[in-house]
Amino acid sequence: MRARIVLLMSVLLVPGFVAAEVAAQAPPAAAAAAPAEVISADLITRADALKIVDASIASCERQGEKAAAMVTDANGYLRAAMSSDGLNPVGLRTANLKTVTVLKFKVSTRTLQERLKSDAAFAKEYGKDERYFYHPGAVPIYREGKFVAVLAVGGGHDKDESCALEALKLLSWAKTTP
């Protein structure tokens, strides 16, 4: 068995070493191409994302609930995510689905839940779409009228939204509407 592992590792690693050696011998490129897109702190910083994710979970735990929280920037890049110890993993899934929902519509999941009840055309088009989850707990984050991020909390049952809104108060610049 050990011989098979060693053989497999040599088959997998040798081509990589050869490619690295060839690349090292190649003449340097005139200019390295800049990446087309990067994760931008202009939308939301790592520090702000971590602060509100941690505060969301702490708020839910103070209310007797375990929760997951995530912040995703307006470009869809995950900036921070955490979960309570002992959380049912469904909280991670619902937080993610809520994030996708707010990224699509740029309003809170509570607003969308209410719209499902009052707008038949919207309900017909999106109500049964499994990509979206309309339970309150995810809010858009706006800075000076610009959509910059989403804060989503899942697993805290009926407390998800209050946990998110309490945490968002830590960012003096953050609004949930443009």
Side-chain angles (χ1 to χ4, degrees), residues 18-44:
V18 171
E21 186 176 325
V22 169
Q25 293 174 3
E37 188 173 6
V38 296
I39 296 174
S40 175
D42 291 341
L43 295 174
I44 188 164

PDB file of all heavy atoms in Angstrom, residues 18-44:
ATOM      1  N   VAL A  18       8.345  19.862 -12.847  1.00  0.00           N
ATOM      2  CA  VAL A  18       8.825  20.118 -14.205  1.00  0.00           C
ATOM      3  C   VAL A  18       8.256  21.435 -14.724  1.00  0.00           C
ATOM      4  O   VAL A  18       8.981  22.261 -15.278  1.00  0.00           O
ATOM      5  CB  VAL A  18       8.465  18.944 -15.148  1.00  0.00           C
ATOM      6  CG1 VAL A  18       8.751  19.295 -16.589  1.00  0.00           C
ATOM      7  CG2 VAL A  18       9.217  17.689 -14.727  1.00  0.00           C
ATOM      8  N   ALA A  19       6.992  21.644 -14.513  1.00  0.00           N
ATOM      9  CA  ALA A  19       6.368  22.886 -14.979  1.00  0.00           C
ATOM     10  C   ALA A  19       6.995  24.092 -14.288  1.00  0.00           C
ATOM     11  O   ALA A  19       7.236  25.122 -14.912  1.00  0.00           O
ATOM     12  CB  ALA A  19       4.867  22.849 -14.712  1.00  0.00           C
ATOM     13  N   ALA A  20       7.271  23.969 -12.985  1.00  0.00           N
ATOM     14  CA  ALA A  20       7.887  25.072 -12.249  1.00  0.00           C
ATOM     15  C   ALA A  20       9.284  25.354 -12.777  1.00  0.00           C
ATOM     16  O   ALA A  20       9.695  26.511 -12.899  1.00  0.00           O
ATOM     17  CB  ALA A  20       7.929  24.743 -10.757  1.00  0.00           C
ATOM     18  N   GLU A  21      10.036  24.303 -13.101  1.00  0.00           N
ATOM     19  CA  GLU A  21      11.390  24.478 -13.617  1.00  0.00           C
ATOM     20  C   GLU A  21      11.357  25.156 -14.984  1.00  0.00           C
ATOM     21  O   GLU A  21      12.130  26.075 -15.255  1.00  0.00           O
ATOM     22  CB  GLU A  21      12.092  23.125 -13.726  1.00  0.00           C
ATOM     23  CG  GLU A  21      13.554  23.238 -14.114  1.00  0.00           C
ATOM     24  CD  GLU A  21      14.235  21.879 -14.124  1.00  0.00           C
ATOM     25  OE1 GLU A  21      13.905  21.027 -13.284  1.00  0.00           O
ATOM     26  OE2 GLU A  21      15.105  21.701 -14.986  1.00  0.00           O
ATOM     27  N   VAL A  22      10.447  24.743 -15.842  1.00  0.00           N
ATOM     28  CA  VAL A  22      10.320  25.360 -17.172  1.00  0.00           C
ATOM     29  C   VAL A  22       9.938  26.828 -17.024  1.00  0.00           C
ATOM     30  O   VAL A  22      10.492  27.698 -17.689  1.00  0.00           O
ATOM     31  CB  VAL A  22       9.283  24.594 -18.033  1.00  0.00           C
ATOM     32  CG1 VAL A  22       8.942  25.363 -19.289  1.00  0.00           C
ATOM     33  CG2 VAL A  22       9.804  23.208 -18.367  1.00  0.00           C
ATOM     34  N   ALA A  23       9.020  27.124 -16.132  1.00  0.00           N
ATOM     35  CA  ALA A  23       8.602  28.506 -15.926  1.00  0.00           C
ATOM     36  C   ALA A  23       9.756  29.354 -15.412  1.00  0.00           C
ATOM     37  O   ALA A  23       9.906  30.510 -15.794  1.00  0.00           O
ATOM     38  CB  ALA A  23       7.429  28.560 -14.946  1.00  0.00           C
ATOM     39  N   ALA A  24      10.587  28.784 -14.558  1.00  0.00           N
ATOM     40  CA  ALA A  24      11.717  29.523 -14.002  1.00  0.00           C
ATOM     41  C   ALA A  24      12.754  29.835 -15.077  1.00  0.00           C
ATOM     42  O   ALA A  24      13.450  30.847 -15.002  1.00  0.00           O
ATOM     43  CB  ALA A  24      12.359  28.733 -12.868  1.00  0.00           C
ATOM     44  N   GLN A  25      12.868  28.993 -16.110  1.00  0.00           N
ATOM     45  CA  GLN A  25      13.842  29.200 -17.170  1.00  0.00           C
ATOM     46  C   GLN A  25      13.321  30.128 -18.264  1.00  0.00           C
ATOM     47  O   GLN A  25      14.098  30.627 -19.062  1.00  0.00           O
ATOM     48  CB  GLN A  25      14.235  27.867 -17.794  1.00  0.00           C
ATOM     49  CG  GLN A  25      14.992  26.980 -16.831  1.00  0.00           C
ATOM     50  CD  GLN A  25      15.254  25.601 -17.417  1.00  0.00           C
ATOM     51  OE1 GLN A  25      14.921  25.318 -18.553  1.00  0.00           O
ATOM     52  NE2 GLN A  25      15.869  24.743 -16.614  1.00  0.00           N
ATOM     53  N   ALA A  26      12.027  30.353 -18.286  1.00  0.00           N
ATOM     54  CA  ALA A  26      11.439  31.206 -19.324  1.00  0.00           C
ATOM     55  C   ALA A  26      11.845  32.652 -19.075  1.00  0.00           C
ATOM     56  O   ALA A  26      12.026  33.076 -17.941  1.00  0.00           O
ATOM     57  CB  ALA A  26       9.919  31.080 -19.298  1.00  0.00           C
ATOM     58  N   PRO A  27      11.981  33.437 -20.159  1.00  0.00           N
ATOM     59  CA  PRO A  27      12.312  34.846 -19.969  1.00  0.00           C
ATOM     60  C   PRO A  27      11.176  35.564 -19.248  1.00  0.00           C
ATOM     61  O   PRO A  27      10.023  35.203 -19.412  1.00  0.00           O
ATOM     62  CB  PRO A  27      12.475  35.367 -21.408  1.00  0.00           C
ATOM     63  CG  PRO A  27      11.787  34.382 -22.282  1.00  0.00           C
ATOM     64  CD  PRO A  27      11.811  33.080 -21.552  1.00  0.00           C
ATOM     65  N   PRO A  28      11.496  36.572 -18.434  1.00  0.00           N
ATOM     66  CA  PRO A  28      10.441  37.264 -17.685  1.00  0.00           C
ATOM     67  C   PRO A  28       9.491  37.981 -18.636  1.00  0.00           C
ATOM     68  O   PRO A  28       9.895  38.501 -19.677  1.00  0.00           O
ATOM     69  CB  PRO A  28      11.206  38.255 -16.809  1.00  0.00           C
ATOM     70  CG  PRO A  28      12.554  38.377 -17.417  1.00  0.00           C
ATOM     71  CD  PRO A  28      12.809  37.113 -18.175  1.00  0.00           C
ATOM     72  N   ALA A  29       8.240  38.011 -18.264  1.00  0.00           N
ATOM     73  CA  ALA A  29       7.230  38.718 -19.057  1.00  0.00           C
ATOM     74  C   ALA A  29       7.498  40.208 -18.952  1.00  0.00           C
ATOM     75  O   ALA A  29       7.995  40.696 -17.939  1.00  0.00           O
ATOM     76  CB  ALA A  29       5.838  38.377 -18.536  1.00  0.00           C
ATOM     77  N   ALA A  30       7.133  40.937 -20.001  1.00  0.00           N
ATOM     78  CA  ALA A  30       7.373  42.383 -20.019  1.00  0.00           C
ATOM     79  C   ALA A  30       6.666  43.071 -18.862  1.00  0.00           C
ATOM     80  O   ALA A  30       7.235  43.908 -18.190  1.00  0.00           O
ATOM     81  CB  ALA A  30       6.912  42.968 -21.350  1.00  0.00           C
ATOM     82  N   ALA A  31       5.447  42.718 -18.636  1.00  0.00           N
ATOM     83  CA  ALA A  31       4.710  43.290 -17.519  1.00  0.00           C
ATOM     84  C   ALA A  31       3.659  42.285 -17.087  1.00  0.00           C
ATOM     85  O   ALA A  31       2.970  41.715 -17.919  1.00  0.00           O
ATOM     86  CB  ALA A  31       4.036  44.593 -17.932  1.00  0.00           C
ATOM     87  N   ALA A  32       3.565  42.082 -15.805  1.00  0.00           N
ATOM     88  CA  ALA A  32       2.562  41.155 -15.301  1.00  0.00           C
ATOM     89  C   ALA A  32       1.193  41.791 -15.456  1.00  0.00           C
ATOM     90  O   ALA A  32       1.004  42.965 -15.167  1.00  0.00           O
ATOM     91  CB  ALA A  32       2.833  40.838 -13.835  1.00  0.00           C
ATOM     92  N   ALA A  33       0.260  41.006 -15.940  1.00  0.00           N
ATOM     93  CA  ALA A  33      -1.097  41.515 -16.122  1.00  0.00           C
ATOM     94  C   ALA A  33      -1.754  41.687 -14.753  1.00  0.00           C
ATOM     95  O   ALA A  33      -1.670  40.816 -13.900  1.00  0.00           O
ATOM     96  CB  ALA A  33      -1.902  40.551 -16.974  1.00  0.00           C
ATOM     97  N   ALA A  34      -2.384  42.822 -14.556  1.00  0.00           N
ATOM     98  CA  ALA A  34      -3.087  43.082 -13.311  1.00  0.00           C
ATOM     99  C   ALA A  34      -4.377  42.268 -13.287  1.00  0.00           C
ATOM    100  O   ALA A  34      -4.985  42.053 -14.329  1.00  0.00           O
ATOM    101  CB  ALA A  34      -3.406  44.567 -13.198  1.00  0.00           C
ATOM    102  N   PRO A  35      -4.780  41.795 -12.121  1.00  0.00           N
ATOM    103  CA  PRO A  35      -6.037  41.060 -12.062  1.00  0.00           C
ATOM    104  C   PRO A  35      -7.193  41.952 -12.486  1.00  0.00           C
ATOM    105  O   PRO A  35      -7.206  43.146 -12.217  1.00  0.00           O
ATOM    106  CB  PRO A  35      -6.156  40.646 -10.600  1.00  0.00           C
ATOM    107  CG  PRO A  35      -5.191  41.483  -9.849  1.00  0.00           C
ATOM    108  CD  PRO A  35      -4.156  41.953 -10.830  1.00  0.00           C
ATOM    109  N   ALA A  36      -8.147  41.350 -13.158  1.00  0.00           N
ATOM    110  CA  ALA A  36      -9.286  42.105 -13.669  1.00  0.00           C
ATOM    111  C   ALA A  36     -10.145  42.652 -12.535  1.00  0.00           C
ATOM    112  O   ALA A  36     -10.703  43.732 -12.639  1.00  0.00           O
ATOM    113  CB  ALA A  36     -10.125  41.229 -14.589  1.00  0.00           C
ATOM    114  N   GLU A  37     -10.240  41.905 -11.444  1.00  0.00           N
ATOM    115  CA  GLU A  37     -11.094  42.325 -10.346  1.00  0.00           C
ATOM    116  C   GLU A  37     -10.472  41.858  -9.036  1.00  0.00           C
ATOM    117  O   GLU A  37      -9.866  40.801  -8.974  1.00  0.00           O
ATOM    118  CB  GLU A  37     -12.472  41.699 -10.516  1.00  0.00           C
ATOM    119  CG  GLU A  37     -13.493  42.201  -9.558  1.00  0.00           C
ATOM    120  CD  GLU A  37     -14.901  41.687  -9.872  1.00  0.00           C
ATOM    121  OE1 GLU A  37     -15.067  40.848 -10.761  1.00  0.00           O
ATOM    122  OE2 GLU A  37     -15.816  42.150  -9.196  1.00  0.00           O
ATOM    123  N   VAL A  38     -10.616  42.648  -8.016  1.00  0.00           N
ATOM    124  CA  VAL A  38     -10.137  42.285  -6.691  1.00  0.00           C
ATOM    125  C   VAL A  38     -11.251  42.535  -5.677  1.00  0.00           C
ATOM    126  O   VAL A  38     -12.193  43.277  -5.948  1.00  0.00           O
ATOM    127  CB  VAL A  38      -8.874  43.085  -6.275  1.00  0.00           C
ATOM    128  CG1 VAL A  38      -7.702  42.780  -7.188  1.00  0.00           C
ATOM    129  CG2 VAL A  38      -9.157  44.572  -6.242  1.00  0.00           C
ATOM    130  N   ILE A  39     -11.122  41.926  -4.520  1.00  0.00           N
ATOM    131  CA  ILE A  39     -12.081  42.179  -3.455  1.00  0.00           C
ATOM    132  C   ILE A  39     -11.777  43.559  -2.903  1.00  0.00           C
ATOM    133  O   ILE A  39     -10.663  43.845  -2.484  1.00  0.00           O
ATOM    134  CB  ILE A  39     -11.991  41.094  -2.372  1.00  0.00           C
ATOM    135  CG1 ILE A  39     -12.399  39.758  -2.986  1.00  0.00           C
ATOM    136  CG2 ILE A  39     -12.855  41.451  -1.177  1.00  0.00           C
ATOM    137  CD1 ILE A  39     -12.223  38.573  -2.086  1.00  0.00           C
ATOM    138  N   SER A  40     -12.757  44.431  -2.943  1.00  0.00           N
ATOM    139  CA  SER A  40     -12.535  45.834  -2.643  1.00  0.00           C
ATOM    140  C   SER A  40     -12.984  46.238  -1.247  1.00  0.00           C
ATOM    141  O   SER A  40     -14.145  46.040  -0.877  1.00  0.00           O
ATOM    142  CB  SER A  40     -13.281  46.696  -3.672  1.00  0.00           C
ATOM    143  OG  SER A  40     -13.171  48.049  -3.333  1.00  0.00           O
ATOM    144  N   ALA A  41     -12.080  46.837  -0.509  1.00  0.00           N
ATOM    145  CA  ALA A  41     -12.424  47.393   0.801  1.00  0.00           C
ATOM    146  C   ALA A  41     -13.291  48.639   0.635  1.00  0.00           C
ATOM    147  O   ALA A  41     -13.857  49.121   1.608  1.00  0.00           O
ATOM    148  CB  ALA A  41     -11.162  47.723   1.583  1.00  0.00           C
ATOM    149  N   ASP A  42     -13.402  49.154  -0.595  1.00  0.00           N
ATOM    150  CA  ASP A  42     -14.276  50.302  -0.842  1.00  0.00           C
ATOM    151  C   ASP A  42     -15.737  49.921  -0.635  1.00  0.00           C
ATOM    152  O   ASP A  42     -16.566  50.783  -0.363  1.00  0.00           O
ATOM    153  CB  ASP A  42     -14.095  50.836  -2.267  1.00  0.00           C
ATOM    154  CG  ASP A  42     -12.742  51.478  -2.463  1.00  0.00           C
ATOM    155  OD1 ASP A  42     -12.090  51.848  -1.469  1.00  0.00           O
ATOM    156  OD2 ASP A  42     -12.322  51.609  -3.633  1.00  0.00           O
ATOM    157  N   LEU A  43     -16.048  48.632  -0.770  1.00  0.00           N
ATOM    158  CA  LEU A  43     -17.418  48.186  -0.531  1.00  0.00           C
ATOM    159  C   LEU A  43     -17.621  47.983   0.969  1.00  0.00           C
ATOM    160  O   LEU A  43     -18.414  48.663   1.590  1.00  0.00           O
ATOM    161  CB  LEU A  43     -17.709  46.903  -1.310  1.00  0.00           C
ATOM    162  CG  LEU A  43     -17.685  47.078  -2.832  1.00  0.00           C
ATOM    163  CD1 LEU A  43     -17.842  45.737  -3.533  1.00  0.00           C
ATOM    164  CD2 LEU A  43     -18.784  48.046  -3.273  1.00  0.00           C
ATOM    165  N   ILE A  44     -16.912  47.030   1.550  1.00  0.00           N
ATOM    166  CA  ILE A  44     -16.934  46.818   2.998  1.00  0.00           C
ATOM    167  C   ILE A  44     -15.587  46.217   3.391  1.00  0.00           C
ATOM    168  O   ILE A  44     -15.086  45.322   2.710  1.00  0.00           O
ATOM    169  CB  ILE A  44     -18.117  45.938   3.458  1.00  0.00           C
ATOM    170  CG1 ILE A  44     -18.208  45.925   4.986  1.00  0.00           C
ATOM    171  CG2 ILE A  44     -18.052  44.553   2.852  1.00  0.00           C
ATOM    172  CD1 ILE A  44     -19.533  45.423   5.524  1.00  0.00           C
TER     173      ILE A  44
END
